[in-house]
Amino acid sequence: MARLKAASAYRMVKRAYTRTSRRRALAYVKGAPNVKVVQFDMGDRTNVQNLPYELQLVSAREIQVRDNALEAARQSAVRTLEKKGKTGWALKIRSVPHQILREKAVATAAGADRFSQGMALSFGSPSGHAVQVKPGTILFSFYVEKDFIPTAREAARKASSKMPMRCAMRLLDNKTKKEITL
């Protein structure tokens, strides 16, 4: 099984490139793989409006985040919240990976220069998805009750450690959407 390329290969935010060709069959990206994020809403989803606090995990800089980083952050956050209890919290992933990542397979074996194509046909094949975030983009929203706030902060801290950039946390009143400090 092929390894993933380093995240540094995909960090730069670029304009979405669509191939243009005189032949219509070659003018779009074919066969994008499935998004690796399993669920976008977790926890007590029916009770989100009744939970009094919202803790947001916000990006601090412009970067491209792959879907496997979002999934790893989601898993660690849910695991931390479920240790405290099954109800009294809800988690929502607010950024959806739509950007298709492509890579050109490079031959590295001995004598590869004889059969590799160099930059000819270098559009690349789809290899994954990413979300392009700007500073202040909300990545995750944790809806919690008052006694869950420390647990939600710990879950957000663990989720931010899986992200390729620094993240900030904001605590809001869920009814008025005003920021509060505790």
Side-chain angles (χ1 to χ4, degrees):
M1 187 169 140
R3 278 187 27 173
L4 282 176
K5 277 191 175 180
S8 60
Y10 298 109
R11 281 190 193 142
M12 297 291 291
V13 175
K14 299 177 188 170
R15 179 178 82 57
Y17 175 71
T18 304
R19 182 178 186 170
T20 55
S21 175
R22 283 183 224 132
R23 288 189 286 165
R24 188 171 163 201
L26 299 176
Y28 63 95
V29 181
K30 295 182 272 229
N34 293 331
V35 177
K36 290 183 182 165
V37 179
V38 177
Q39 281 183 306
F40 287 91
D41 296 325
M42 280 108 347
D44 198 2
R45 293 175 288 196
T46 58
N47 201 17
V48 170
Q49 288 82 18
N50 298 333
L51 295 170
Y53 297 101
E54 178 184 0
L55 181 73
Q56 296 177 343
L57 189 66
V58 179
S59 71
R61 68 173 219 173
E62 185 177 46
I63 198 165
Q64 193 162 263
V65 181
R66 290 192 303 190
D67 57 349
N68 60 340
L70 280 174
E71 176 62 14
R74 181 196 71 83
Q75 286 178 1
S76 68
V78 168
R79 190 175 303 122
T80 304
L81 289 167
E82 282 183 342
K83 284 181 184 174
K84 174 89 169 159
K86 297 281 186 189
T87 60
W89 61 272
L91 171 64
K92 187 178 281 243
I93 297 178
R94 302 275 297 271
S95 50
V96 181
H98 289 296
Q99 184 79 13
I100 298 173
L101 303 174
R102 302 175 319 277
E103 64 183 45
K104 169 81 171 161
V106 179
T108 57
D113 54 338
R114 283 180 277 137
F115 60 88
S116 68
Q117 297 166 333
M119 285 301 288
L121 305 172
S122 63
F123 182 68
S125 58
S127 62
H129 289 268
V131 58
Q132 292 184 346
V133 297
K134 294 180 175 143
T137 302
I138 302 168
L139 299 168
F140 291 90
S141 286
F142 299 86
Y143 299 95
V144 293
E145 293 174 352
K146 187 167 181 87
D147 59 330
F148 260 93
I149 291 175
T151 309
R153 281 195 175 162
E154 179 65 17
R157 186 194 64 77
K158 287 183 178 181
S160 69
S161 69
K162 307 289 184 189
M163 293 290 146
M165 77 285 197
R166 284 186 301 113
C167 295
M169 286 184 248
R170 285 193 298 213
L171 184 63
L172 305 172
D173 183 15
N174 199 15
K175 302 282 187 249
T176 62
K177 298 298 182 190
K178 292 193 177 178
E179 194 165 346
I180 54 175
T181 57
L182 285 179

